[in-house]
Amino acid sequence: PETPVKVTVTGAAGQIGYALLFRIASGQLLGADVPVKLSLLEIPQAVKAAEGTAMELDDCAFPLLRGIEITDDLTTAFDGTNIALLVGALPRKAGMERGDLLEANGGIFGPQGKAINDHAADDVRVLVVGNPANTNALIAQSAAPDVPAERFTAMTRLDHNRALSQLAQKLQVSVTDIKKMTIWGNHSATQYPDLFHAEVGGKIAAELVDETWLRETFIPTVAKRGAAIIEARGASSAASAANAAIDHVYDWVNGTPEGDWTSAAIPSDGSYGVPEGLISSFPVVSRGGKWEIVQGLEIDDFSRSRIDASVAELGEERDAVRQLGLI
Ligand code: NAX
């Protein structure tokens, strides 16, 4: 029998974890013919809740699920892991400064990066979901010098999917009619969803909508969607975040379709003026199990200023964690 792929989920007892684990176990993360075993990492107080989720996973009798481990120990969780989904993070609490938030998360993502470095499988792929996702990914990456840097990524696929859906509704088309959507920069309110390269039926999306809608409705709606969900639901995005994590990893492992691209935050190689090493969202394709930045796009002044603003924020976050000694 085929060796199962080990998938580690941190923050497994949280709300994204609850929406994610069943989809992984049912084969949607890697493919309907790929057996998986799950490792659920939680903090000690939440291990019992994770055990409850594991009971429910058992009760699904998923044919592809070959084992579940529940632990609060980093070495156990990341030992031999092939896919690490770093979901658990410390949310910003009232009165918390950005420095405090970065420091608290440094205490989570630094040790996790080191455990990945020391114990994960050679082919490990890491997706950071927990916020601030891009900078948490940078912290984990810097604690894992023996793992190729490109294996550390952060999630902007939810923003990408939100952008597809907003545009599809505006133009009364199907999301599948839209190609080449891009989210640039940080997974934060400064992110830039780009309609100047997106295509709808072969036409540039920005030319199909009026400029005021693009600037004053589309961009802020996508960038602030997380807050709107909290306002409406009384809880932050969970199933949609889990769905985006599934999309990100599935495409990373299995490739993106010809003639299209997606968005992922990956370490910059300096493309599009994004300083090398920053984990920034780009238009990407996946080929041979690796993300590649789509090259050669023309960036006009409007897009340039938006990209620069979000990338500047990433640079500030990097400087802040550097000063804190976290990278
Ligand atoms: P929850 O608070 O429901 O769950 C988080 C879980 O992480 C808790 O069970 C907690 O015990 C656990 N945890 C905390 N520290 C841990 C550690 N050191 N090791 C292991 N587990 C730990 O949050 P949830 O709604 O699931 O969201 C998780 C993270 O995703 C948050 O940081 C959130 O901001 C982020 N998001 C990121 C998104 C993205 O697009 N990148 C969108 C959705 C979401 O907001």
Side-chain angles (χ1 to χ4, degrees):
E2 209 182 325
T3 319
V5 175
K6 177 166 173 175
V7 181
T8 303
V9 178
T10 76
Q15 43 151 15
I16 295 176
Y18 192 76
L20 184 57
L21 290 164
F22 297 85
R23 297 192 57 187
I24 299 171
S26 70
Q28 295 179 59
L29 186 75
L30 296 164
D33 53 354
V34 184
V36 292
K37 56 183 182 184
L38 282 168
S39 182
L40 279 45
L41 180 72
E42 260 297 349
I43 52 176
Q45 335 44 311
V47 162
K48 185 156 184 239
E51 284 169 355
T53 305
M55 289 163 69
E56 282 202 77
L57 285 162
D58 282 342
D59 295 350
C60 294
F62 286 121
L64 291 171
L65 184 56
R66 299 298 151 80
I68 311 173
E69 143 192 297
I70 305 135
T71 183
D72 61 6
D73 175 59
L74 292 174
T75 303
T76 308
F78 293 111
D79 185 39
T81 201
N82 306 102
I83 308 274
L85 303 175
L86 308 187
V87 179
L90 203 99
R92 191 189 286 248
K93 298 191 185 104
M96 209 179 194
E97 298 293 328
R98 188 171 69 174
D100 302 333
L101 180 75
L102 293 170
E103 189 158 24
N105 280 295
I108 296 175
F109 289 86
Q112 289 181 0
K114 173 139 187 17
I116 288 168
N117 188 70
D118 295 349
H119 305 289
D122 287 345
D123 69 350
V124 67
R125 289 181 170 88
V126 182
L127 171 62
V128 177
V129 175
N131 282 319
N134 303 52
T135 298
N136 288 341
L138 191 67
I139 292 169
Q141 180 200 61
S142 104
D146 303 330
V147 178
E150 67 190 32
R151 306 288 187 75
F152 285 84
T153 66
M155 190 167 92
T156 53
R157 186 62 171 263
L158 177 54
D159 309 298
H160 178 97
N161 288 343
R162 287 167 170 165
L164 287 176
S165 175
Q166 290 300 318
L167 181 65
Q169 286 178 29
K170 171 74 176 172
L171 295 176
Q172 297 284 298
V173 298
S174 156
V175 287
T176 55
D177 295 328
I178 305 172
K179 308 284 181 232
K180 304 183 179 176
M181 182 63 76
T182 306
I183 303 293
W184 298 89
N186 199 3
H187 168 69
S188 76
T190 68
Q191 66 177 265
Y192 173 50
D194 176 0
L195 294 188
F196 292 91
H197 299 100
E199 295 174 6
V200 183
K203 297 198 176 87
I204 294 296
E207 288 165 11
L208 301 174
V209 297
D210 68 80
E211 203 184 309
T212 312
W213 181 81
L214 189 157
R215 287 176 190 240
E216 288 170 24
T217 303
F218 174 74
I219 294 174
T221 300
V222 173
K224 295 179 190 161
R225 185 72 164 177
I229 301 280
I230 294 174
E231 173 74 26
R233 209 172 82 86
S236 57
S237 317
S240 55
N243 177 70
I246 296 273
D247 284 351
H248 177 113
V249 173
Y250 186 90
D251 285 354
W252 192 357
V253 172
N254 295 296
T256 44
E258 277 306 317
D260 201 2
W261 67 62
T262 187
S263 305
I266 67 170
S268 177
D269 60 359
S271 294
Y272 298 105
V274 180
E276 198 176 337
L278 285 182
I279 298 185
S280 176
S281 190
F282 286 101
V284 291
V285 294
S286 162
R287 300 273 178 268
K290 290 184 176 188
W291 291 119
E292 293 170 12
I293 297 170
V294 175
Q295 295 296 331
L297 303 180
E298 263 182 56
I299 309 294
D300 69 7
D301 290 347
F302 176 74
S303 295
R304 185 75 264 163
S305 68
R306 295 291 179 136
I307 296 169
D308 287 350
S310 195
V311 168
E313 183 184 54
L314 283 174
E316 286 162 21
E317 289 183 12
R318 180 189 54 191
D319 293 347
V321 294
R322 208 175 254 160
Q323 267 179 7
L324 290 164
L326 297 171
I327 61 169

